[in-house]
Amino acid sequence: MTVSFRTGRYLVALLWHSAPWGFIGFVVGCVFGTLQAVELLKSVDDSFYQAMAKVVHQCAPIDPTNAATLEQVKGRAPGSSDHASPIRRTEARAERTLEHPPP
């Protein structure tokens, strides 16, 4: 396929004059796409924050004045840790039993 010199010059000139507009359109599209991505991330962050606030609110003590007063668990030595591992609690119980054997 042969293209005349005049037609070739016309196509190159058309490409040359339309390239800046295409570049401007590409830049504007990238800017708007970035803005949309930022807005999307903000909305996701807000949704996550609201969900976590609901979880924290549900896990909070119902009556904060009674949260400070703890009841002693029956059968537990005063001062024993509620967070002690089951193995350490078993060891402590065994030591108490050895010190004071049942009658």
Side-chain angles (χ1 to χ4, degrees), residues 12-79:
V12 169
L14 184 65
L15 181 63
W16 177 254
H17 289 292
S18 64
W21 296 109
F23 180 73
I24 290 171
F26 177 76
V27 169
V28 169
C30 287
V31 167
F32 282 122
T34 303
L35 290 175
Q36 284 293 336
V38 167
E39 290 296 321
L40 178 67
L41 289 175
K42 284 181 183 178
S43 67
V44 168
D45 184 47
D46 290 340
S47 298
F48 180 72
Y49 179 77
Q50 290 173 358
M52 290 306 294
K54 286 180 183 178
V55 168
V56 169
H57 181 69
Q58 288 177 352
C59 292
I62 296 171
D63 188 9
T65 58
N66 291 338
T69 59
L70 299 175
E71 296 179 15
Q72 180 67 27
V73 178
K74 293 181 181 179
R76 180 172 294 182

